Amino acid sequence: MKFATLANGHLDGRLVIVSYDQHLACDAHDIAPSLLDALQRWDTVALALQARSDALNTGQAADAFVFDPQQCLAPLPRSPQWLDGSAFLNHMQLMERAFNTPPMPKGDTVPVMYQGASDDFLGPHADVPLPSEADGIDFEGEFGVVVGPVPMAATPAEALAAVRLVVQINDWSLRALGPHEMQTGFGFLQAKPSTAFAPVAVTPDELGAAWHNGRVHMHLKVERNGERFGEPHGREMGFGFGELVAHAARTRRLTAGCIVGSGTVSNAARSAGSACLAERRVIEMIDQGAASTPFMRFGERVRMQALFEDGSAGPFGSIDQQVVPLAAGRGG
């Protein structure tokens, strides 16, 4: 099944089901008013949602309408928790090499993860308002999963079985603010503004063979201002989503609707390009002695879309956003 959320004046938005080809949608509010509600009552509503999806895809949904991703909020405009890993070990190793820092303790056996803000996610085409270009504005292309209830100390297999949906993410970062926050030992706060999501969240079966071993086996095509930036592949995750979710749940239970991210998609082959500016900059530092690619400026755009192996568009739709200055008086 494919789901999206449209604005309706409520914080969690209005749940719609999207057709396989993403051309049509139909309401599902009579089954579950929002995607968060559907996740919280999954065992009760999943069959009805599947029946509605089947009706839409066989031309039997009476209220079908043209699906417009431009009107979408994030599939989950807010969630109980947003937990982001750094599962692509190549990305972490490049950072360590460029800055001559010691390897992360147990970095290849214990996932790295931070807890981000989960109360104000951005839609796929929403502007990204930020206070200052001097903060080092960066994008980060990722994949993620949305889980049902996960018990404390769940095994990776149990955690993977709890995955309800797969999503595509742009985890915006402010690189100039990150070093100080990491040195405090308390983790990111100001360095991580609101995260953005592609318009469509999908059940894992929608990926077919591209969902394998708890990983999204797809390319993530990233463009900056219409120019190629990279197409790294999701198969090189050092930790699958089963391991990431289990790590998050080791000492706490996770409630339905929690989101766990993969971290920046990164490949060892330089030809794949990158999914964030920081990685390209550290590659320049390693290869050329200094970074030359600038961080984002106001007015610039970034576009991200997952692609299947044959180059066809993935099921999530695209993220296409512009960075804009925070309007005067919006700081409250």
Side-chain angles (χ1 to χ4, degrees), residues 143-213:
F143 296 113
V145 296
V146 187
V147 299
V150 182
M152 186 188 304
T155 66
E158 291 168 339
L160 190 59
V163 170
R164 298 286 182 263
L165 302 170
V166 185
V167 292
Q168 179 191 314
I169 298 166
N170 183 1
D171 183 37
W172 288 97
S173 294
L174 301 176
R175 299 298 187 182
L177 305 181
H180 169 72
E181 293 189 331
M182 287 187 287
Q183 290 170 7
T184 67
F186 277 79
F188 296 121
L189 180 67
Q190 294 177 353
K192 289 293 185 178
S194 295
T195 301
F197 289 78
V200 182
V202 307
T203 50
D205 61 286
E206 293 285 340
L207 299 181
W211 177 248
H212 175 64
N213 198 25

Side-chain angles (χ1 to χ4, degrees), residues 63 113 224 257 294:
D63 64 343
M113 187 172 289
R224 180 183 186 179

Side-chain angles (χ1 to χ4, degrees), residues 171-318:
D171 183 37
W172 288 97
S173 294
L174 301 176
R175 299 298 187 182
L177 305 181
H180 169 72
E181 293 189 331
M182 287 187 287
Q183 290 170 7
T184 67
F186 277 79
F188 296 121
L189 180 67
Q190 294 177 353
K192 289 293 185 178
S194 295
T195 301
F197 289 78
V200 182
V202 307
T203 50
D205 61 286
E206 293 285 340
L207 299 181
W211 177 248
H212 175 64
N213 198 25
R215 292 161 172 82
V216 179
H217 288 245
M218 302 179 72
H219 293 277
L220 185 57
K221 182 179 180 181
V222 181
E223 297 175 329
R224 180 183 186 179
N225 299 322
E227 297 183 357
R228 175 193 182 269
F229 198 83
E231 305 93 17
H233 198 282
R235 63 174 165 253
E236 292 188 25
M237 282 178 74
F239 303 98
F241 280 110
E243 287 80 12
L244 291 181
V245 174
H247 176 77
R250 183 175 181 272
T251 61
R252 67 175 84 174
R253 64 186 179 94
L254 305 182
T255 59
C258 290
I259 306 171
V260 177
S262 67
T264 305
V265 180
S266 178
N267 292 172
R270 298 284 179 85
S271 59
S274 298
C276 74
L277 292 166
E279 182 171 296
R280 176 175 285 190
R281 286 170 59 87
V282 299
I283 290 173
E284 292 167 347
M285 292 170 65
I286 292 168
D287 292 351
Q288 304 165 20
S292 58
T293 297
F295 289 115
M296 297 284 281
R297 304 290 299 271
F298 294 143
E300 289 195 271
R301 303 193 70 89
V302 64
R303 186 177 190 276
M304 301 178 179
Q305 184 173 27
L307 304 176
F308 286 111
E309 294 291 352
D310 62 1
S312 62
F316 309 107
S318 63

